[in-house]
Amino acid sequence: MFRKIFLYASAVILLTGINLFAQNEQDSTDEKWHDRNWYDWENYEWLGWEFHGQPFIELNYGLGTTKHDKLLSKFTNGGMAEIKLGYATQESYYSENIIEFRDKYSFVSKFSADLKSSSVTIGEMKSDLWRFGFAKRSGYGYRINSLSILPYHGSGFVWSKLDMIDYPAKIYLITTPQMNIEDARSDTDILNRFHDSFRFGTLSEGGIRIEVVSFASVDFGYEAAVIFPLHLFWKHIGSFIIEESASGVLNHFIDEVADSSPYAAPVVNFLLKNGLSYAFYSLRKANMNWPFSTETPLTYETFKIGVTFTF
């Protein structure tokens, strides 16, 4: 339900943004995007954490779900509190109404049933999840005067520590006695792969930032995260290279769109980049390092709303 609401709201905001900013379009210059292409290359490296740009602090609250494709037990839905610290850069191209932006940041967050206002459903497992990591996000946006609409795509690496409060055996014996105790043991074995240990994973996020003033914005995002029960380095690198190669092809296509139709670039970038990320996320629900045959990961999907203060 969260995903449908988010996609609908995103479409409305983006279409409104196109109509608004198209009315203010200025004549495009004949200048090629040499500076932008160099800017892309310079900022590609994941480990190139140069501390430049405007520092920002972002606070998020979210509601989400936890799943594992092989679990018969069900997690209760939870809430998430998050803080991000990072640096933001923006560049204008063709006209002052079209910008390209990039953020790099670190984050800490907690996901817990206790952070959700509604009561826990009987028969569902409670858990707490602490996590930290670093990520990047980028996109093209529309800007006029003090208002900006910035649809983005983000991705990152995350380390998560899961603490189970309720285990399957307790849930089965109390609420669903018809379930086989062997099923409870199987689910417990799966959860023990994650419980009380930091596990590596990846995340992707799509969203829209609305800047009403230069130093503050409201953010709406949808995040999908994968937590590995173990880290198979070479298979992870192989899967990562495949996704980055596909992303590189999209980058080239999006650049061509931006060259010929700058006002279409924010929408095209938002749809294609987030569509690709969600496709890979869906494939990794069963195989954490798709297309390689690997274990099933733990997954989180969270709808988030936040505020960002830029200095």
Side-chain angles (χ1 to χ4, degrees):
M1 181 181 71
F2 290 140
R3 184 162 63 247
K4 291 180 180 178
I5 294 173
F6 174 69
L7 292 174
Y8 178 77
S10 298
V12 171
I13 293 173
L14 289 175
L15 290 173
T16 302
I18 292 176
N19 291 332
L20 173 63
F21 292 109
Q23 295 173 5
N24 295 274
E25 182 174 4
Q26 300 177 356
D27 293 336
S28 298
T29 65
D30 294 330
E31 185 177 333
K32 296 297 182 180
W33 285 29
H34 170 77
D35 291 338
R36 173 175 61 79
N37 291 331
W38 172 251
Y39 181 65
D40 287 344
W41 175 258
E42 183 182 37
N43 286 273
Y44 174 78
E45 295 294 338
W46 259 106
L47 299 179
W49 278 80
E50 303 88 352
F51 294 100
H52 60 81
Q54 293 180 279
F56 70 84
I57 298 174
E58 182 177 321
L59 303 174
N60 288 303
Y61 176 76
L63 296 173
T65 58
T66 309
K67 293 182 180 180
H68 188 288
D69 275 3
K70 292 187 177 180
L71 276 181
L72 296 177
S73 310
K74 184 178 181 182
F75 284 91
T76 188
N77 294 338
M80 186 195 70
E82 182 176 62
I83 182 171
K84 297 176 181 177
L85 302 177
Y87 291 84
T89 57
Q90 293 186 1
E91 298 285 337
S92 296
Y93 297 106
Y94 282 120
S95 80
E96 63 181 9
N97 298 130
I98 299 295
I99 58 175
E100 184 178 10
F101 60 94
R102 294 178 181 272
D103 301 339
K104 292 182 179 180
Y105 57 88
S106 58
F107 63 90
V108 176
S109 57
K110 181 180 182 180
F111 188 96
S112 173
D114 294 332
L115 294 175
K116 190 183 67 168
S117 59
S118 60
S119 59
V120 177
T121 302
I122 296 176
E124 295 181 346
M125 298 182 298
K126 290 180 63 177
S127 63
D128 288 335
L129 181 85
W130 281 97
R131 65 180 195 166
F132 68 92
F134 59 93
K136 63 179 181 178
R137 62 188 171 198
S138 60
Y140 299 91
Y142 304 103
R143 179 171 62 192
I144 178 170
N145 299 326
S146 61
L147 175 66
S148 297
I149 297 178
L150 309 173
Y152 65 83
H153 164 264
S155 58
F157 300 130
V158 58
W159 287 261
S160 305
K161 182 176 181 290
L162 176 69
D163 292 317
M164 294 300 303
I165 298 173
D166 296 323
Y167 263 93
K170 176 182 177 181
I171 299 297
Y172 285 165
L173 293 176
I174 295 177
T175 63
T176 51
Q178 71 273 18
M179 298 297 292
N180 192 314
I181 192 63
E182 290 301 321
D183 294 332
R185 289 175 179 169
S186 175
D187 282 4
T188 299
D189 289 341
I190 291 173
L191 292 171
N192 281 336
R193 302 279 284 154
F194 303 92
H195 174 69
D196 202 29
S197 298
F198 276 102
R199 297 300 185 189
F200 176 74
T202 61
L203 64 84
S204 60
E205 181 178 339
I208 296 176
R209 173 183 296 171
I210 301 176
E211 290 184 356
V212 291
V213 291
S214 60
F215 61 87
S217 63
V218 180
D219 308 292
F220 303 90
Y222 197 90
E223 178 192 301
V226 175
I227 302 176
F228 304 155
L230 75 167
H231 188 202
L232 302 176
F233 179 78
W234 292 113
K235 290 186 177 182
H236 173 234
I237 291 298
S239 179
F240 179 75
I241 290 174
I242 292 172
E243 183 175 5
E244 286 297 293
S245 298
S247 181
V249 173
L250 285 186
N251 282 337
H252 179 74
F253 177 78
I254 293 167
D255 285 348
E256 295 296 323
V257 171
D259 286 339
S260 59
S261 302
Y263 279 78
V267 178
V268 173
N269 182 79
F270 175 83
L271 294 177
L272 292 184
K273 286 290 193 67
N274 287 305
L276 177 68
S277 288
Y278 197 81
F280 271 87
Y281 166 75
S282 298
L283 292 168
R284 288 171 179 151
K285 286 182 178 180
N287 292 309
M288 65 181 187
N289 297 132
W290 184 90
F292 305 103
S293 179
T294 45
E295 290 192 48
T296 301
L298 200 63
T299 61
Y300 285 80
E301 296 187 38
T302 310
F303 173 76
K304 301 190 290 187
I305 183 171
V307 291
T308 301
F309 301 98
T310 305
F311 304 96

mmCIF file of all heavy atoms in Angstrom, residues 197-215:
data_model
loop_
_atom_site.group_PDB
_atom_site.id
_atom_site.type_symbol
_atom_site.label_atom_id
_atom_site.label_comp_id
_atom_site.label_asym_id
_atom_site.label_seq_id
_atom_site.Cartn_x
_atom_site.Cartn_y
_atom_site.Cartn_z
ATOM 1 N N SER A 197 24.106 -9.907 15.524
ATOM 2 C CA SER A 197 25.373 -9.756 14.796
ATOM 3 C C SER A 197 25.190 -8.692 13.721
ATOM 4 O O SER A 197 24.110 -8.573 13.126
ATOM 5 C CB SER A 197 25.789 -11.068 14.123
ATOM 6 O OG SER A 197 26.011 -12.085 15.077
ATOM 7 N N PHE A 198 26.244 -7.929 13.475
ATOM 8 C CA PHE A 198 26.192 -6.959 12.390
ATOM 9 C C PHE A 198 26.361 -7.679 11.063
ATOM 10 O O PHE A 198 27.307 -8.455 10.880
ATOM 11 C CB PHE A 198 27.276 -5.890 12.561
ATOM 12 C CG PHE A 198 26.875 -4.773 13.479
ATOM 13 C CD1 PHE A 198 27.338 -4.729 14.780
ATOM 14 C CD2 PHE A 198 26.007 -3.772 13.042
ATOM 15 C CE1 PHE A 198 26.962 -3.708 15.639
ATOM 16 C CE2 PHE A 198 25.613 -2.753 13.887
ATOM 17 C CZ PHE A 198 26.093 -2.714 15.187
ATOM 18 N N ARG A 199 25.430 -7.422 10.157
ATOM 19 C CA ARG A 199 25.452 -8.040 8.834
ATOM 20 C C ARG A 199 25.494 -6.953 7.762
ATOM 21 O O ARG A 199 24.833 -5.928 7.870
ATOM 22 C CB ARG A 199 24.205 -8.910 8.625
ATOM 23 C CG ARG A 199 24.093 -10.081 9.585
ATOM 24 C CD ARG A 199 25.253 -11.033 9.470
ATOM 25 N NE ARG A 199 25.082 -12.210 10.316
ATOM 26 C CZ ARG A 199 26.025 -13.109 10.540
ATOM 27 N NH1 ARG A 199 27.223 -12.953 9.968
ATOM 28 N NH2 ARG A 199 25.791 -14.160 11.304
ATOM 29 N N PHE A 200 26.252 -7.247 6.723
ATOM 30 C CA PHE A 200 26.409 -6.309 5.609
ATOM 31 C C PHE A 200 25.209 -6.405 4.671
ATOM 32 O O PHE A 200 24.580 -7.462 4.539
ATOM 33 C CB PHE A 200 27.690 -6.632 4.854
ATOM 34 C CG PHE A 200 27.906 -5.796 3.623
ATOM 35 C CD1 PHE A 200 28.297 -4.471 3.722
ATOM 36 C CD2 PHE A 200 27.712 -6.335 2.361
ATOM 37 C CE1 PHE A 200 28.495 -3.695 2.591
ATOM 38 C CE2 PHE A 200 27.909 -5.573 1.223
ATOM 39 C CZ PHE A 200 28.300 -4.247 1.342
ATOM 40 N N GLY A 201 24.890 -5.288 4.013
ATOM 41 C CA GLY A 201 23.812 -5.290 3.044
ATOM 42 C C GLY A 201 23.856 -4.067 2.152
ATOM 43 O O GLY A 201 24.787 -3.260 2.220
ATOM 44 N N THR A 202 22.867 -3.963 1.312
ATOM 45 C CA THR A 202 22.765 -2.834 0.386
ATOM 46 C C THR A 202 21.367 -2.244 0.462
ATOM 47 O O THR A 202 20.423 -2.886 0.926
ATOM 48 C CB THR A 202 23.056 -3.270 -1.058
ATOM 49 O OG1 THR A 202 22.093 -4.267 -1.454
ATOM 50 C CG2 THR A 202 24.460 -3.851 -1.197
ATOM 51 N N LEU A 203 21.244 -1.019 -0.016
ATOM 52 C CA LEU A 203 19.935 -0.374 -0.058
ATOM 53 C C LEU A 203 19.815 0.488 -1.301
ATOM 54 O O LEU A 203 20.814 0.926 -1.873
ATOM 55 C CB LEU A 203 19.691 0.466 1.202
ATOM 56 C CG LEU A 203 20.589 1.676 1.472
ATOM 57 C CD1 LEU A 203 20.109 2.927 0.725
ATOM 58 C CD2 LEU A 203 20.645 1.986 2.958
ATOM 59 N N SER A 204 18.606 0.727 -1.706
ATOM 60 C CA SER A 204 18.307 1.680 -2.770
ATOM 61 C C SER A 204 17.099 2.490 -2.327
ATOM 62 O O SER A 204 16.256 2.011 -1.567
ATOM 63 C CB SER A 204 18.032 0.977 -4.103
ATOM 64 O OG SER A 204 16.931 0.090 -3.986
ATOM 65 N N GLU A 205 17.035 3.724 -2.812
ATOM 66 C CA GLU A 205 15.958 4.606 -2.380
ATOM 67 C C GLU A 205 15.573 5.544 -3.516
ATOM 68 O O GLU A 205 16.431 6.065 -4.227
ATOM 69 C CB GLU A 205 16.393 5.430 -1.162
ATOM 70 C CG GLU A 205 15.312 6.373 -0.634
ATOM 71 C CD GLU A 205 15.748 7.133 0.599
ATOM 72 O OE1 GLU A 205 16.686 6.674 1.289
ATOM 73 O OE2 GLU A 205 15.151 8.202 0.899
ATOM 74 N N GLY A 206 14.289 5.721 -3.686
ATOM 75 C CA GLY A 206 13.772 6.698 -4.631
ATOM 76 C C GLY A 206 12.874 7.667 -3.897
ATOM 77 O O GLY A 206 12.181 7.285 -2.954
ATOM 78 N N GLY A 207 12.910 8.917 -4.312
ATOM 79 C CA GLY A 207 12.078 9.880 -3.616
ATOM 80 C C GLY A 207 12.063 11.239 -4.270
ATOM 81 O O GLY A 207 12.642 11.443 -5.348
ATOM 82 N N ILE A 208 11.422 12.156 -3.603
ATOM 83 C CA ILE A 208 11.302 13.529 -4.091
ATOM 84 C C ILE A 208 11.570 14.478 -2.932
ATOM 85 O O ILE A 208 11.009 14.313 -1.838
ATOM 86 C CB ILE A 208 9.904 13.798 -4.677
ATOM 87 C CG1 ILE A 208 9.664 12.928 -5.907
ATOM 88 C CG2 ILE A 208 9.742 15.271 -5.044
ATOM 89 C CD1 ILE A 208 8.278 13.061 -6.494
ATOM 90 N N ARG A 209 12.441 15.424 -3.182
ATOM 91 C CA ARG A 209 12.715 16.478 -2.203
ATOM 92 C C ARG A 209 12.095 17.772 -2.701
ATOM 93 O O ARG A 209 12.251 18.131 -3.875
ATOM 94 C CB ARG A 209 14.222 16.655 -2.008
ATOM 95 C CG ARG A 209 14.585 17.847 -1.129
ATOM 96 C CD ARG A 209 16.078 18.019 -1.039
ATOM 97 N NE ARG A 209 16.680 16.877 -0.397
ATOM 98 C CZ ARG A 209 17.990 16.684 -0.331
ATOM 99 N NH1 ARG A 209 18.820 17.534 -0.899
ATOM 100 N NH2 ARG A 209 18.462 15.629 0.287
ATOM 101 N N ILE A 210 11.402 18.456 -1.820
ATOM 102 C CA ILE A 210 10.789 19.738 -2.165
ATOM 103 C C ILE A 210 11.442 20.812 -1.301
ATOM 104 O O ILE A 210 11.277 20.811 -0.072
ATOM 105 C CB ILE A 210 9.267 19.719 -1.952
ATOM 106 C CG1 ILE A 210 8.630 18.620 -2.814
ATOM 107 C CG2 ILE A 210 8.657 21.073 -2.290
ATOM 108 C CD1 ILE A 210 7.149 18.455 -2.599
ATOM 109 N N GLU A 211 12.195 21.697 -1.940
ATOM 110 C CA GLU A 211 12.847 22.793 -1.238
ATOM 111 C C GLU A 211 11.971 24.039 -1.324
ATOM 112 O O GLU A 211 11.697 24.534 -2.414
ATOM 113 C CB GLU A 211 14.226 23.095 -1.842
ATOM 114 C CG GLU A 211 15.258 22.026 -1.588
ATOM 115 C CD GLU A 211 16.625 22.419 -2.108
ATOM 116 O OE1 GLU A 211 16.741 23.501 -2.743
ATOM 117 O OE2 GLU A 211 17.587 21.661 -1.899
ATOM 118 N N VAL A 212 11.534 24.495 -0.183
ATOM 119 C CA VAL A 212 10.719 25.708 -0.159
ATOM 120 C C VAL A 212 11.578 26.945 0.106
ATOM 121 O O VAL A 212 11.224 28.056 -0.280
ATOM 122 C CB VAL A 212 9.608 25.590 0.897
ATOM 123 C CG1 VAL A 212 8.584 24.555 0.464
ATOM 124 C CG2 VAL A 212 10.187 25.193 2.252
ATOM 125 N N VAL A 213 12.692 26.745 0.781
ATOM 126 C CA VAL A 213 13.696 27.788 0.973
ATOM 127 C C VAL A 213 15.060 27.132 0.783
ATOM 128 O O VAL A 213 15.173 25.907 0.790
ATOM 129 C CB VAL A 213 13.604 28.440 2.375
ATOM 130 C CG1 VAL A 213 12.342 29.267 2.507
ATOM 131 C CG2 VAL A 213 13.668 27.377 3.469
ATOM 132 N N SER A 214 16.097 27.929 0.604
ATOM 133 C CA SER A 214 17.406 27.385 0.258
ATOM 134 C C SER A 214 18.016 26.512 1.352
ATOM 135 O O SER A 214 18.848 25.656 1.072
ATOM 136 C CB SER A 214 18.362 28.532 -0.066
ATOM 137 O OG SER A 214 18.506 29.395 1.055
ATOM 138 N N PHE A 215 17.599 26.706 2.600
ATOM 139 C CA PHE A 215 18.240 25.975 3.696
ATOM 140 C C PHE A 215 17.374 24.860 4.275
ATOM 141 O O PHE A 215 17.802 24.159 5.195
ATOM 142 C CB PHE A 215 18.611 26.946 4.829
ATOM 143 C CG PHE A 215 17.435 27.666 5.433
ATOM 144 C CD1 PHE A 215 16.710 27.108 6.475
ATOM 145 C CD2 PHE A 215 17.051 28.907 4.945
ATOM 146 C CE1 PHE A 215 15.630 27.765 7.026
ATOM 147 C CE2 PHE A 215 15.970 29.577 5.498
ATOM 148 C CZ PHE A 215 15.250 29.010 6.535
#
